[in-house]
Amino acid sequence: MSFVRRAATVLAATTAALTTALALPAMAHVTIQPGSAEQGGFTKVAFRVPNERDNASTTRIEVSFPTDHPLAFVSVKPVPGWKVEVTEGTLPKPVTTEYGELKEAVTKVVWSGGKVEPGQFQEFEVSMGQLPKDVDSLMFPTKQTYSNGEVVDWSEAPKADGSEPEHPAPLLKLVPAAEEGDAATTAATAQAGSSPSVAPVAAGEPASDTTARLLGGAGLLVGAVGVVVGVLGLRRRPSA
């Protein structure tokens, strides 16, 4: 009987550990969606901002735009409940583009006045171009301000070894433009994809990640039950 009680205790502990693991929030940070675009073209992206705190709301987002590879055309999509401020500034060094010499460009976009509550995320859409042709990525350092005064600075560049830093900046990867023969395929693919939403969504992590974690946890739990049942069966088998 004591063995049965010990087995039940082990099973209960295993179940509790699995429940705790499944309840842990997924690590999230400010990202740019989609994460890639064609060099030399125009694109629409969304800065996806999840709330990583359970005791405060995100109330301000400040995105810095590159000045070494400035973008001549930047426009923002209104977000209900949020005020947007676009700042233009003089570039450290004028840049020659096919539209002429660029001396000023958008250097910062700030969204404020709204709230991203705990357990939610918000997407802030921007249309921009012309993207440079001589680099393979653009960084958009972002500051996320919470209602308790905390400011998280997402501004770190990718590490040389390929690992992710603690506070990575949103990164837009730039890929070579599609060949002329692939243009129709590229356009069809773009139309098939859904546009980023600007409505708050009460979701702490992507559904696919949650499903995978739940299935994995369920599998471990079933395995633990099987072990206990098997051991109990061996204990009850009569000796030869």
Side-chain angles (χ1 to χ4, degrees):
M1 190 66 180
S2 60
F3 175 79
V4 174
R5 285 198 297 269
R6 286 198 300 271
T9 301
V10 171
L11 179 58
T14 303
T15 303
L18 288 171
T19 302
T20 302
L22 291 174
L24 291 175
M27 294 302 293
H29 47 264
V30 178
T31 57
I32 191 168
Q33 304 291 331
S36 64
E38 289 188 353
Q39 295 172 331
F42 290 76
T43 188
K44 181 182 74 171
V45 300
F47 291 94
R48 180 174 295 173
V49 182
N51 190 336
E52 294 187 308
R53 302 293 180 264
D54 57 8
N55 60 351
S57 299
T58 295
T59 56
R60 188 176 188 271
I61 295 296
E62 178 183 319
V63 179
S64 296
F65 280 63
T67 56
D68 52 347
H69 293 90
L71 302 170
F73 303 96
V74 175
S75 60
V76 298
K77 183 175 182 178
V79 181
W82 292 79
K83 173 186 175 182
V84 61
E85 181 181 356
V86 180
T87 301
E88 291 189 3
T90 302
L91 300 174
K93 181 180 179 181
V95 176
T96 301
T97 71
E98 62 181 89
Y99 302 100
E101 189 177 62
L102 195 62
K103 296 181 179 180
E104 293 185 348
V106 171
T107 57
K108 183 170 58 178
V109 178
V110 176
W111 288 270
S112 61
K115 285 185 178 181
V116 183
E117 303 284 357
Q120 298 181 347
F121 71 88
Q122 177 70 57
E123 291 184 336
F124 302 88
E125 289 185 315
V126 176
S127 177
M128 57 190 182
Q130 186 178 16
L131 300 174
K133 300 178 181 179
D134 55 348
V135 292
D136 58 11
S137 65
L138 291 176
M139 278 181 49
F140 295 84
T142 299
K143 292 182 179 180
Q144 180 177 10
T145 301
Y146 288 89
S147 56
N148 60 5
E150 179 187 6
V151 179
V152 180
D153 192 3
W154 304 98
S155 61
E156 296 178 336
K159 295 183 179 181
D161 60 3
S163 61
E164 187 175 79
E166 183 177 359
H167 295 96
L171 187 71
L172 179 65
K173 295 182 179 180
L174 302 180
V175 299
E179 297 293 335
E180 186 174 350
D182 297 333
T185 302
T186 302
T189 302
Q191 290 179 359
S194 58
S195 299
S197 169
V198 296
V201 180
E205 57 186 335
S208 59
D209 292 344
T210 304
T211 302
R213 294 175 66 204
L214 288 174
L215 290 176
L220 290 174
L221 181 57
V222 171
V225 172
V227 170
V228 173
V229 172
V231 172
L232 290 175
L234 290 176
R235 293 279 299 183
R236 293 175 179 176
R237 177 181 297 180
S239 57

mmCIF file of all heavy atoms in Angstrom, residues 211-239:
data_model
loop_
_atom_site.group_PDB
_atom_site.id
_atom_site.type_symbol
_atom_site.label_atom_id
_atom_site.label_comp_id
_atom_site.label_asym_id
_atom_site.label_seq_id
_atom_site.Cartn_x
_atom_site.Cartn_y
_atom_site.Cartn_z
ATOM 1 N N THR A 211 -0.236 25.283 -28.948
ATOM 2 C CA THR A 211 -0.662 23.927 -29.281
ATOM 3 C C THR A 211 0.474 22.938 -29.138
ATOM 4 O O THR A 211 0.323 21.855 -28.567
ATOM 5 C CB THR A 211 -1.202 23.875 -30.720
ATOM 6 O OG1 THR A 211 -2.274 24.797 -30.829
ATOM 7 C CG2 THR A 211 -1.698 22.482 -31.061
ATOM 8 N N ALA A 212 1.654 23.316 -29.628
ATOM 9 C CA ALA A 212 2.804 22.412 -29.554
ATOM 10 C C ALA A 212 3.183 22.128 -28.116
ATOM 11 O O ALA A 212 3.467 20.997 -27.734
ATOM 12 C CB ALA A 212 3.987 23.024 -30.307
ATOM 13 N N ARG A 213 3.151 23.173 -27.284
ATOM 14 C CA ARG A 213 3.523 22.973 -25.884
ATOM 15 C C ARG A 213 2.495 22.116 -25.161
ATOM 16 O O ARG A 213 2.831 21.259 -24.335
ATOM 17 C CB ARG A 213 3.662 24.327 -25.185
ATOM 18 C CG ARG A 213 4.816 25.168 -25.708
ATOM 19 C CD ARG A 213 4.845 26.526 -25.076
ATOM 20 N NE ARG A 213 5.139 26.418 -23.655
ATOM 21 C CZ ARG A 213 4.792 27.336 -22.754
ATOM 22 N NH1 ARG A 213 4.103 28.380 -23.120
ATOM 23 N NH2 ARG A 213 5.110 27.192 -21.497
ATOM 24 N N LEU A 214 1.197 22.343 -25.456
ATOM 25 C CA LEU A 214 0.160 21.538 -24.809
ATOM 26 C C LEU A 214 0.262 20.079 -25.211
ATOM 27 O O LEU A 214 0.144 19.177 -24.376
ATOM 28 C CB LEU A 214 -1.219 22.090 -25.175
ATOM 29 C CG LEU A 214 -1.590 23.430 -24.521
ATOM 30 C CD1 LEU A 214 -2.907 23.932 -25.080
ATOM 31 C CD2 LEU A 214 -1.655 23.296 -23.009
ATOM 32 N N LEU A 215 0.472 19.819 -26.525
ATOM 33 C CA LEU A 215 0.602 18.442 -26.983
ATOM 34 C C LEU A 215 1.828 17.773 -26.371
ATOM 35 O O LEU A 215 1.795 16.606 -25.967
ATOM 36 C CB LEU A 215 0.690 18.397 -28.511
ATOM 37 C CG LEU A 215 -0.611 18.764 -29.260
ATOM 38 C CD1 LEU A 215 -0.369 18.783 -30.754
ATOM 39 C CD2 LEU A 215 -1.723 17.785 -28.915
ATOM 40 N N GLY A 216 2.933 18.520 -26.310
ATOM 41 C CA GLY A 216 4.146 17.958 -25.716
ATOM 42 C C GLY A 216 3.943 17.648 -24.249
ATOM 43 O O GLY A 216 4.329 16.593 -23.754
ATOM 44 N N GLY A 217 3.291 18.577 -23.528
ATOM 45 C CA GLY A 217 3.031 18.340 -22.115
ATOM 46 C C GLY A 217 2.103 17.163 -21.899
ATOM 47 O O GLY A 217 2.297 16.350 -20.996
ATOM 48 N N ALA A 218 1.077 17.056 -22.768
ATOM 49 C CA ALA A 218 0.148 15.925 -22.642
ATOM 50 C C ALA A 218 0.871 14.608 -22.871
ATOM 51 O O ALA A 218 0.622 13.611 -22.188
ATOM 52 C CB ALA A 218 -0.999 16.092 -23.637
ATOM 53 N N GLY A 219 1.780 14.591 -23.841
ATOM 54 C CA GLY A 219 2.535 13.365 -24.115
ATOM 55 C C GLY A 219 3.386 12.953 -22.938
ATOM 56 O O GLY A 219 3.450 11.774 -22.569
ATOM 57 N N LEU A 220 4.032 13.933 -22.297
ATOM 58 C CA LEU A 220 4.851 13.613 -21.126
ATOM 59 C C LEU A 220 3.988 13.092 -19.984
ATOM 60 O O LEU A 220 4.371 12.164 -19.260
ATOM 61 C CB LEU A 220 5.607 14.872 -20.678
ATOM 62 C CG LEU A 220 6.727 15.345 -21.613
ATOM 63 C CD1 LEU A 220 7.292 16.664 -21.122
ATOM 64 C CD2 LEU A 220 7.830 14.292 -21.702
ATOM 65 N N LEU A 221 2.802 13.691 -19.819
ATOM 66 C CA LEU A 221 1.919 13.268 -18.748
ATOM 67 C C LEU A 221 1.448 11.838 -18.967
ATOM 68 O O LEU A 221 1.439 11.016 -18.043
ATOM 69 C CB LEU A 221 0.718 14.214 -18.669
ATOM 70 C CG LEU A 221 -0.314 13.911 -17.563
ATOM 71 C CD1 LEU A 221 0.363 13.908 -16.199
ATOM 72 C CD2 LEU A 221 -1.439 14.929 -17.591
ATOM 73 N N VAL A 222 1.058 11.513 -20.216
ATOM 74 C CA VAL A 222 0.631 10.147 -20.535
ATOM 75 C C VAL A 222 1.765 9.164 -20.285
ATOM 76 O O VAL A 222 1.576 8.068 -19.761
ATOM 77 C CB VAL A 222 0.150 10.063 -21.992
ATOM 78 C CG1 VAL A 222 -0.088 8.611 -22.402
ATOM 79 C CG2 VAL A 222 -1.133 10.855 -22.151
ATOM 80 N N GLY A 223 2.992 9.582 -20.654
ATOM 81 C CA GLY A 223 4.137 8.704 -20.422
ATOM 82 C C GLY A 223 4.354 8.440 -18.947
ATOM 83 O O GLY A 223 4.637 7.319 -18.526
ATOM 84 N N ALA A 224 4.183 9.501 -18.124
ATOM 85 C CA ALA A 224 4.370 9.321 -16.682
ATOM 86 C C ALA A 224 3.328 8.374 -16.111
ATOM 87 O O ALA A 224 3.619 7.512 -15.281
ATOM 88 C CB ALA A 224 4.279 10.687 -15.978
ATOM 89 N N VAL A 225 2.068 8.516 -16.572
ATOM 90 C CA VAL A 225 1.008 7.607 -16.111
ATOM 91 C C VAL A 225 1.342 6.177 -16.503
ATOM 92 O O VAL A 225 1.162 5.225 -15.734
ATOM 93 C CB VAL A 225 -0.346 8.036 -16.714
ATOM 94 C CG1 VAL A 225 -1.418 6.991 -16.402
ATOM 95 C CG2 VAL A 225 -0.751 9.390 -16.160
ATOM 96 N N GLY A 226 1.853 5.978 -17.717
ATOM 97 C CA GLY A 226 2.196 4.640 -18.186
ATOM 98 C C GLY A 226 3.258 3.993 -17.333
ATOM 99 O O GLY A 226 3.201 2.801 -17.029
ATOM 100 N N VAL A 227 4.252 4.786 -16.938
ATOM 101 C CA VAL A 227 5.328 4.242 -16.105
ATOM 102 C C VAL A 227 4.770 3.766 -14.769
ATOM 103 O O VAL A 227 5.089 2.675 -14.271
ATOM 104 C CB VAL A 227 6.413 5.319 -15.892
ATOM 105 C CG1 VAL A 227 7.404 4.844 -14.832
ATOM 106 C CG2 VAL A 227 7.134 5.582 -17.204
ATOM 107 N N VAL A 228 3.916 4.619 -14.164
ATOM 108 C CA VAL A 228 3.363 4.253 -12.857
ATOM 109 C C VAL A 228 2.516 2.994 -12.965
ATOM 110 O O VAL A 228 2.614 2.062 -12.154
ATOM 111 C CB VAL A 228 2.517 5.418 -12.293
ATOM 112 C CG1 VAL A 228 1.795 4.971 -11.017
ATOM 113 C CG2 VAL A 228 3.416 6.603 -12.021
ATOM 114 N N VAL A 229 1.641 2.926 -14.003
ATOM 115 C CA VAL A 229 0.791 1.754 -14.189
ATOM 116 C C VAL A 229 1.625 0.502 -14.408
ATOM 117 O O VAL A 229 1.358 -0.573 -13.886
ATOM 118 C CB VAL A 229 -0.171 1.982 -15.378
ATOM 119 C CG1 VAL A 229 -0.922 0.691 -15.711
ATOM 120 C CG2 VAL A 229 -1.145 3.089 -15.037
ATOM 121 N N GLY A 230 2.708 0.635 -15.201
ATOM 122 C CA GLY A 230 3.567 -0.516 -15.465
ATOM 123 C C GLY A 230 4.232 -1.026 -14.212
ATOM 124 O O GLY A 230 4.311 -2.236 -13.957
ATOM 125 N N VAL A 231 4.702 -0.108 -13.387
ATOM 126 C CA VAL A 231 5.369 -0.510 -12.148
ATOM 127 C C VAL A 231 4.388 -1.194 -11.216
ATOM 128 O O VAL A 231 4.686 -2.220 -10.582
ATOM 129 C CB VAL A 231 6.000 0.723 -11.469
ATOM 130 C CG1 VAL A 231 6.516 0.344 -10.078
ATOM 131 C CG2 VAL A 231 7.123 1.247 -12.332
ATOM 132 N N LEU A 232 3.172 -0.635 -11.128
ATOM 133 C CA LEU A 232 2.165 -1.256 -10.272
ATOM 134 C C LEU A 232 1.834 -2.658 -10.752
ATOM 135 O O LEU A 232 1.628 -3.591 -9.974
ATOM 136 C CB LEU A 232 0.892 -0.392 -10.257
ATOM 137 C CG LEU A 232 1.009 0.957 -9.520
ATOM 138 C CD1 LEU A 232 -0.277 1.750 -9.685
ATOM 139 C CD2 LEU A 232 1.323 0.743 -8.050
ATOM 140 N N GLY A 233 1.802 -2.855 -12.077
ATOM 141 C CA GLY A 233 1.504 -4.172 -12.638
ATOM 142 C C GLY A 233 2.575 -5.182 -12.262
ATOM 143 O O GLY A 233 2.293 -6.341 -11.941
ATOM 144 N N LEU A 234 3.824 -4.749 -12.302
ATOM 145 C CA LEU A 234 4.918 -5.658 -11.946
ATOM 146 C C LEU A 234 4.853 -6.047 -10.469
ATOM 147 O O LEU A 234 5.132 -7.180 -10.072
ATOM 148 C CB LEU A 234 6.262 -4.988 -12.258
ATOM 149 C CG LEU A 234 6.582 -4.833 -13.760
ATOM 150 C CD1 LEU A 234 7.894 -4.065 -13.929
ATOM 151 C CD2 LEU A 234 6.697 -6.206 -14.432
ATOM 152 N N ARG A 235 4.474 -5.046 -9.651
ATOM 153 C CA ARG A 235 4.424 -5.333 -8.212
ATOM 154 C C ARG A 235 3.314 -6.346 -7.882
ATOM 155 O O ARG A 235 3.414 -7.146 -6.966
ATOM 156 C CB ARG A 235 4.154 -4.025 -7.443
ATOM 157 C CG ARG A 235 5.305 -3.012 -7.533
ATOM 158 C CD ARG A 235 6.396 -3.322 -6.563
ATOM 159 N NE ARG A 235 5.922 -3.268 -5.184
ATOM 160 C CZ ARG A 235 6.718 -3.445 -4.138
ATOM 161 N NH1 ARG A 235 7.998 -3.730 -4.297
ATOM 162 N NH2 ARG A 235 6.228 -3.356 -2.906
ATOM 163 N N ARG A 236 2.217 -6.312 -8.645
ATOM 164 C CA ARG A 236 1.084 -7.172 -8.351
ATOM 165 C C ARG A 236 1.181 -8.549 -8.999
ATOM 166 O O ARG A 236 0.393 -9.441 -8.751
ATOM 167 C CB ARG A 236 -0.209 -6.511 -8.818
ATOM 168 C CG ARG A 236 -0.541 -5.247 -8.012
ATOM 169 C CD ARG A 236 -1.770 -4.549 -8.582
ATOM 170 N NE ARG A 236 -2.090 -3.368 -7.807
ATOM 171 C CZ ARG A 236 -3.062 -2.514 -8.104
ATOM 172 N NH1 ARG A 236 -3.810 -2.750 -9.162
ATOM 173 N NH2 ARG A 236 -3.294 -1.480 -7.354
ATOM 174 N N ARG A 237 2.139 -8.787 -9.924
ATOM 175 C CA ARG A 237 2.244 -10.075 -10.593
ATOM 176 C C ARG A 237 2.688 -11.134 -9.589
ATOM 177 O O ARG A 237 3.672 -10.965 -8.870
ATOM 178 C CB ARG A 237 3.279 -9.981 -11.736
ATOM 179 C CG ARG A 237 3.506 -11.315 -12.437
ATOM 180 C CD ARG A 237 4.545 -11.188 -13.527
ATOM 181 N NE ARG A 237 4.085 -10.283 -14.550
ATOM 182 C CZ ARG A 237 4.815 -9.988 -15.623
ATOM 183 N NH1 ARG A 237 6.029 -10.495 -15.760
ATOM 184 N NH2 ARG A 237 4.351 -9.179 -16.522
ATOM 185 N N PRO A 238 1.971 -12.243 -9.509
ATOM 186 C CA PRO A 238 2.353 -13.321 -8.554
ATOM 187 C C PRO A 238 3.695 -13.928 -8.934
ATOM 188 O O PRO A 238 4.023 -14.034 -10.106
ATOM 189 C CB PRO A 238 1.204 -14.321 -8.669
ATOM 190 C CG PRO A 238 0.637 -14.087 -10.052
ATOM 191 C CD PRO A 238 0.775 -12.600 -10.292
ATOM 192 N N SER A 239 4.433 -14.284 -7.920
ATOM 193 C CA SER A 239 5.738 -14.890 -8.189
ATOM 194 C C SER A 239 5.562 -16.312 -8.700
ATOM 195 O O SER A 239 4.618 -17.008 -8.347
ATOM 196 C CB SER A 239 6.577 -14.890 -6.905
ATOM 197 O OG SER A 239 5.893 -15.577 -5.895
#
